[in-house]
Amino acid sequence: MFQVRDLTVKYQAKVVFSKLSFELADNTILAVLGPSGSGKTSLLNAITGLLSHQGEILLNGHPLDTKAQTIALVPQDYGLLPWKTVEQNVLLALKVKEKKGGKDQPKLQALYAALGLTSLLKRYPHQLSGGQKQRVALARAFALTPDLLLLDEAFSALDLVIKQKAQQLFLRQWQETPVTTLVVTHDLKEALLLSDQILLLTPNKPQLITNPLGDLDYDSRTEAKVLTQVLSELEAEVKRQW
Amino acid sequence: MVKKFLRLLYALFILHAIWAVAALLVNRPLLPTPWAVYSYFPQLVGLDLWWNIYFSLYRLGWSLFWATVIGVPLGIASVRFPKFGQLFDPLVYFTYPMPKIAFLPVVMLLAGLGNASKIIMISLIIVFQIIIGVRDAVSQVPSSMYQVLEVLHANRWTMFWAVTWPASLAGFLSSLKIALGTAIATLFFTEIYGTQYGMGYFIMDQWNRLDYLAMFGGIIVISVVSFLLFSLISLIEHYCLRWQKDK
């Protein structure tokens, strides 16, 4: 269980949000939805400890601790080191966390294969397309078998077709190794396609809603009729709130 | 590789053609033809040419060493330690445009006429280029590269070796190539005084003796040495920054 209790975050003396509380069941995905400046990234930075805050952030009943627990982050620009190959980028994360994943080659090779990276392992990031870089960042995150996975606008830089493929690939991999996940996004459709729950970061009172498509698999969620209907309902809700 | 070599030959040919045409047009001993200069080369060896090259390289080597040892850490620190950067950056901002060569008399008075003042002067001029090159390279590293490691509780050393150092190396090597040209120009200037060895001294001495063939020979030698050093840095850059290849 991931819990946020009475979280207050200030950025340059301005309150970004005050006394924010929500809970997320184990191995579920929460989409944090909000426009620019709504505090999505601040929430993420508070969770990762990069931004000081008041209130409690608990994972499995214990205060979130980057030392004792493994948190994997997939930033918007993927955060790959350009001087390291695909494989070295993944292995560095494992080495830093002193995880033995690097030695578990079959598991790692299976992960590379699942994300279509096997033939790209010796390439440097500048030799990859946007979609490939994104998959490397996902591989690095999943290889860590994290306690908490954070995706910060991780699909927003991709074009429509690649984005759908990447989302599908992400969900498929996530279902193989489920992990408590926060997906920060400004895209309503992405929130509906990926999450079990949606946290609307509204200016007055943040609202936690259950994704009506949460029980469906990715392909069923993308079916136009269902998606369009739910999307328009969510859009109306968002407009009402903002 | 072959293409690069052909391009080099082309540049050499054009430069020599311009030189030859200018020499034929001027038609005076002060601007000899390329073939006259090259045929005079065996006699240059008798004029302590190797010692002159050695002393110039000695001064240049130490200058580059000190500029690196001082410039790289300062460039990194000004970005990675923001409070230090706030104090240090204005100093760089104000002193970088200053003509440091104007401090030559002061440096000469403090460090004497020997190698020390020459090395200090060259280092003083090029260290700023290295500080700025490294600082710019490190400041361009996206914060996400650090964040990915920070959430994994990476320590400062890991982040330095994994992120800051490779980024600074790119900035250092490209600024070193620019600094090399400045360093050689300053070297020439500093070798005009207080020495009887060095390529700067050699060229000016031959000029005083009205030996224009030897003077031009000296210019060719210092140019070749510069080119070789530049190529060496390019080679190191090519190896160390192979992740940038075909970018």
Side-chain angles (χ1 to χ4, degrees):
Chain A
M1 173 85 77
F2 177 70
Q3 295 162 295
V4 169
R5 288 185 194 154
D6 297 328
L7 186 72
T8 299
V9 172
K10 288 179 187 171
Y11 186 68
Q12 293 177 343
K14 188 189 160 211
V15 177
V16 182
F17 45 76
S18 176
K19 295 201 175 287
L20 174 70
S21 297
F22 64 88
E23 285 183 359
L24 181 61
D26 283 343
N27 302 336
T28 55
I29 301 177
L30 173 75
V32 180
L33 193 63
S36 300
S38 59
K40 301 188 299 287
T41 302
S42 296
L43 173 62
L44 220 60
N45 286 343
I47 291 169
T48 54
L50 299 175
L51 200 61
S52 60
H53 59 269
Q54 289 172 326
E56 284 183 308
I57 301 171
L58 307 170
L59 186 63
N60 302 326
H62 301 286
L64 196 64
D65 178 4
T66 55
K67 193 177 179 184
Q69 292 150 328
T70 305
I71 302 173
L73 172 68
V74 180
Q76 188 171 7
D77 62 2
Y78 318 125
L80 300 178
L81 303 179
W83 36 83
K84 292 201 177 285
T85 62
V86 167
E87 192 174 27
Q88 287 168 342
N89 264 287
V90 175
L91 292 178
L92 175 70
L94 290 168
K95 197 178 156 195
V96 168
K97 207 60 200 172
E98 290 172 353
K99 290 225 169 187
K100 295 190 174 83
K103 289 172 188 167
D104 190 354
Q105 276 298 320
K107 194 179 158 195
L108 216 48
Q109 292 304 329
L111 178 66
Y112 293 144
L115 293 170
L117 296 173
T118 309
S119 61
L120 308 175
L121 294 178
K122 300 293 173 208
R123 290 203 192 169
Y124 288 100
H126 82 270
Q127 297 168 315
L128 305 176
S129 67
Q132 289 169 335
K133 283 182 198 169
Q134 205 258 4
R135 271 148 43 201
V136 177
L138 287 178
R140 182 179 57 194
F142 280 115
L144 288 161
T145 49
D147 301 301
L148 181 67
L149 174 60
L150 306 171
L151 276 74
D152 185 8
E153 302 275 11
F155 301 94
S156 65
L158 304 174
D159 65 53
L160 197 63
V161 179
I162 303 288
K163 185 190 276 191
Q164 277 188 349
K165 279 186 183 169
Q167 287 169 343
Q168 205 166 10
L169 212 56
F170 161 72
L171 266 191
R172 202 184 297 156
Q173 188 55 43
W174 188 89
Q175 280 156 359
E176 286 280 314
T177 48
V179 50
T180 309
T181 303
L182 262 76
V183 178
V184 166
T185 180
H186 64 273
D187 184 348
L188 296 175
K189 193 175 166 189
E190 186 172 294
L192 287 169
L193 289 175
L194 296 182
S195 70
D196 298 297
Q197 284 181 297
I198 299 170
L199 178 69
L200 286 177
L201 279 182
T202 55
N204 303 321
K205 192 174 185 297
Q207 203 183 345
L208 192 66
I209 52 176
T210 303
N211 183 356
L213 305 179
D215 293 333
L216 304 175
D217 62 21
Y218 185 85
D219 290 334
S220 308
R221 290 187 200 194
T222 54
E223 275 176 27
K225 204 175 156 189
V226 185
L227 185 64
T228 313
Q229 191 194 339
V230 179
L231 198 58
S232 58
E233 282 171 18
L234 187 60
E235 261 171 353
E237 177 65 24
V238 167
K239 273 181 192 161
R240 202 172 58 79
Q241 294 284 349
W242 288 314
Chain B
M1 193 73 180
V2 177
K3 231 177 184 178
K4 219 174 173 182
F5 182 70
L6 286 175
R7 258 188 261 159
L8 186 71
L9 277 184
Y10 160 80
L12 276 175
F13 174 77
I14 294 291
L15 286 174
H16 280 81
I18 293 169
W19 176 12
V21 170
L24 291 171
L25 286 174
V26 173
N27 197 23
R28 286 168 65 186
L30 64 91
L31 186 57
T33 57
W35 47 90
V37 172
Y38 288 121
S39 57
Y40 192 72
F41 251 77
Q43 283 156 270
L44 288 186
V45 182
L47 298 173
D48 285 342
L49 184 68
W50 298 114
W51 276 112
N52 287 303
I53 294 173
Y54 166 77
F55 274 97
S56 286
L57 284 177
Y58 174 84
R59 289 162 190 148
L60 197 64
W62 277 110
S63 305
L64 292 174
F65 171 79
W66 285 115
T68 302
V69 165
I70 297 166
V72 173
L74 284 176
I76 292 173
S78 68
V79 180
R80 294 300 293 154
F81 302 102
K83 281 185 180 165
F84 171 74
Q86 279 170 11
L87 296 172
F88 183 66
D89 282 351
L91 294 176
V92 175
Y93 185 81
F94 279 111
T95 47
Y96 179 64
M98 261 186 205
K100 263 75 72 181
I101 197 79
F103 290 100
L104 183 62
V106 182
V107 174
M108 275 163 64
L109 285 171
L110 290 173
L113 295 173
N115 284 332
S117 67
K118 299 176 194 342
I119 292 168
I120 290 171
M121 203 63 239
I122 300 167
S123 306
L124 192 65
I125 290 174
I126 62 171
V127 75
F128 285 88
Q129 291 172 346
I130 290 175
I131 290 171
I132 291 169
V134 170
R135 187 193 64 183
D136 288 353
V138 177
S139 65
Q140 278 167 18
V141 174
S143 57
S144 61
M145 287 188 199
Y146 290 107
Q147 281 171 0
V148 164
L149 297 177
E150 265 179 294
V151 297
L152 296 174
H153 208 77
N155 58 37
R156 274 184 173 270
W157 274 112
T158 305
M159 288 204 274
F160 176 79
W161 287 116
V163 186
T164 311
W165 174 248
S168 67
L169 193 63
F172 165 64
L173 289 171
S174 60
S175 61
L176 191 65
K177 281 206 288 194
I178 299 165
L180 182 69
T182 315
I184 289 172
T186 315
L187 175 77
F188 179 86
F189 194 80
T190 58
E191 285 182 342
I192 292 172
Y193 70 86
T195 183
Q196 289 191 324
Y197 285 105
M199 287 313 296
Y201 167 79
F202 179 86
I203 292 166
M204 295 308 287
D205 187 47
Q206 301 311 319
W207 176 60
N208 284 331
R209 292 168 195 268
L210 305 179
D211 188 349
Y212 296 122
L213 288 174
M215 184 187 84
F216 269 88
I219 294 171
I220 296 289
V221 168
I222 200 170
S223 304
V224 170
V225 169
S226 304
F227 176 77
L228 291 176
L229 287 173
F230 191 83
S231 303
L232 180 68
I233 298 172
S234 293
L235 211 67
I236 295 169
E237 195 178 33
H238 190 74
Y239 175 75
C240 293
L241 308 183
R242 55 193 178 281
W243 53 272
Q244 277 186 335
K245 257 189 264 177
D246 62 68
K247 206 171 190 177

